[in-house]
Amino acid sequence: MTLYIKNMVCARCKMVVESEFEKLGLQTISVELGEVELQDEINEHQKEVLLKNLQTLGFDLLDDKKTKTIEKIKNLIIDLVHHKNNDLKINLSDYLAENLSQDYNSLSNLFSEIENITIEKYFISQKIEKVKELLIYNELSLSEIADILNYSNVAHLSNQFKKITGFTPTSFKQLKDKNRIQIENL
């Protein structure tokens, strides 16, 4: 049995969710971003308790097909931007269509309809949050960051960064309050 969970966006989320399943004595086969595969079916009472526990931690169980698809799209983009830098060179539409075994136009229309934002804008917002993170760490030059996130050049990165945040990357680094947005709130 596979359950879909909203707001699982990082390795710590996976650990927390897995821990909740263990507390209820539910055996997991795998725990991935947004998805938990269980060894056995769960009953309604277990599902209610699990839902309550997950909601307390900021997660939610997904039931309808559209919401599950949206969450899968978000998780693939988050994973791509924040954990698979080398894969950013592939075409996003091909990446999503291949991983979800669905036509990209259908995915794009559904995402826009439900989220009121395009997949491309969501992808860009994730990349900008990654840029903020890397700027705060202050370990890489802007040129290195542009290369890692597959920007054609520093000017393109800087222009997109300013368009989204209102600051140049240099100005952002100088701010005392960096105003990063939690990934699940993008």
Side-chain angles (χ1 to χ4, degrees):
M1 168 181 216
T2 302
L3 295 175
Y4 297 93
I5 301 173
K6 185 175 183 173
N7 294 332
M8 283 181 67
V9 296
C10 64
R12 278 187 304 279
C13 295
K14 288 168 49 174
M15 289 184 339
V16 168
V17 167
E18 188 169 18
S19 171
E20 288 304 312
F21 280 86
E22 287 173 4
K23 286 178 189 174
L24 293 173
L26 301 170
Q27 297 293 318
T28 58
I29 295 171
S30 69
V31 179
E32 298 301 325
L33 293 179
E35 198 171 295
V36 176
E37 188 177 349
L38 294 173
Q39 189 169 333
D40 302 308
E41 297 288 320
I42 64 171
N43 62 43
E44 280 305 311
H45 175 70
Q46 289 172 315
K47 194 171 185 179
E48 287 175 24
V49 172
L50 179 64
L51 175 61
K52 182 182 173 203
N53 292 353
L54 290 174
Q55 286 176 332
T56 301
L57 297 167
F59 302 104
D60 206 352
L61 285 176
L62 302 174
D63 285 328
D64 70 276
K65 186 177 180 181
K66 286 182 178 181
T67 309
K68 289 177 187 176
T69 301
I70 296 299
E71 199 63 20
K72 286 179 183 178
I73 292 168
K74 287 182 174 183
N75 286 330
L76 283 168
I77 290 172
I78 289 167
D79 194 42
L80 180 65
V81 172
H82 296 278
H83 307 294
K84 297 180 177 174
N85 293 342
N86 294 336
D87 291 344
L88 281 170
K89 291 180 177 23
I90 66 173
N91 185 302
L92 179 62
S93 58
D94 293 341
Y95 178 77
L96 293 174
E98 181 182 312
N99 279 281
L100 296 172
S101 302
Q102 292 185 31
D103 173 62
Y104 178 76
N105 287 332
S106 300
L107 294 171
S108 178
N109 290 336
L110 175 66
F111 193 90
S112 296
E113 173 190 327
I114 303 292
E115 294 294 315
N116 295 318
I117 186 175
T118 65
I119 288 176
E120 185 64 28
K121 285 185 179 179
Y122 182 79
F123 181 60
I124 290 168
S125 67
Q126 288 294 336
K127 286 176 71 172
I128 294 303
E129 282 308 307
K130 184 67 174 181
V131 171
K132 287 180 184 179
E133 176 185 339
L134 295 172
L135 286 171
I136 289 169
Y137 292 161
N138 205 23
E139 294 175 348
L140 301 172
S141 69
L142 202 52
S143 178
E144 291 169 318
I145 294 171
D147 187 51
I148 287 171
L149 293 174
N150 201 36
Y151 281 95
S152 54
N153 56 47
V154 173
H156 181 221
L157 165 65
S158 296
N159 288 336
Q160 197 169 69
F161 191 89
K162 183 163 185 171
K163 184 177 177 184
I164 302 294
T165 67
F167 298 100
T168 64
T170 304
S171 300
F172 178 81
K173 282 176 77 170
Q174 295 169 350
L175 291 175
K176 288 186 187 341
D177 182 16
K178 304 288 195 244
N179 290 329
R180 290 195 51 217
I181 300 170
Q182 293 180 18
I183 293 170
E184 66 269 16
N185 293 333
L186 286 174

